[in-house]
Amino acid sequence: MNHLQAITEILLMSFALGMDALSLSIGIGLGKIDRKTALQLCFSIGMFHVILTFAGLVFGNLVGYYLGALAQWFGALLLMGLGAHMLYSSLFGKEEAVKPIGNLFAMTLFSASVSLDALSVGFSLGLRSTAYGVVSALSFGCISMVLCAIGLFIGKRFSRSVGRYGEILGAIVLVGCGIKFLL
């Protein structure tokens, strides 16, 4: 495989993995999120993509076989719970900002669930060279950070025009993505 082909393959995988971050971040952006939290979320998602890819490289197919279904269920339930919380806060909470990623624990869980697919990709990257795996992991992290930022930006812009209905729509998007993960 030549270098251009390898770079193209890595970039395509990076964008494919980052699309979850993009779509879910649009849902988060529809709620109220400040700039500092948005930057922390982008960084957290990028770091989890790198860390979980490396974990996949290290632990290989055995762990992936046993944790694959569990990770999918965990991610789905987490997204549905986050969406349900956001929906409840939008409908029954005070008029103040709904913060779906309001604390470090929620942000960490959200980032890990968005990045779980990087773990399984890391398992398959273990069959390639170490350099290929390292470059892939770093690319996954950078691209997912950028796509998360784009998603938050799109969500925030859309939220301004639809207000509270945007928060409800964002919550429904998160619950829907969780259900999709289960199916």
Side-chain angles (χ1 to χ4, degrees), residues 4 8 10 13 19-20 23 31 54 63 74-76 80-82 88 92 97 113 128 136 152 155 159 181:
L4 182 59
T8 302
I10 290 170
M13 284 190 297
M19 292 311 285
D20 279 349
S23 61
F54 280 137
V63 175
F74 173 76
M80 291 184 336
L82 183 61
Y88 178 82
F92 305 110
S113 71
R128 305 264 182 136
S136 295
L152 290 170
S159 176
F181 286 175

Side-chain angles (χ1 to χ4, degrees), residues 3 15 63 82 88 94 97 103 139 179:
H3 293 297
F15 278 99
V63 175
L82 183 61
Y88 178 82
K94 297 177 182 173
N103 60 48
S139 177
I179 291 170

Side-chain angles (χ1 to χ4, degrees), residues 31 84-95 98 164 166-169 171:
H85 169 69
M86 191 172 162
L87 183 62
Y88 178 82
S89 296
S90 295
L91 294 174
F92 305 110
K94 297 177 182 173
E95 281 298 312
V98 176
R164 184 173 177 172
E167 294 173 7
I168 294 169
L169 178 63

Side-chain angles (χ1 to χ4, degrees), residues 102-139:
N103 60 48
L104 182 62
F105 182 71
M107 185 181 303
T108 302
L109 282 178
F110 179 77
S111 298
S113 71
V114 169
S115 306
L116 280 174
D117 50 355
L119 181 66
S120 59
V121 172
F123 297 141
S124 63
L125 290 177
L127 303 174
R128 305 264 182 136
S129 71
T130 302
Y132 186 89
V134 170
V135 170
S136 295
L138 295 175
S139 177

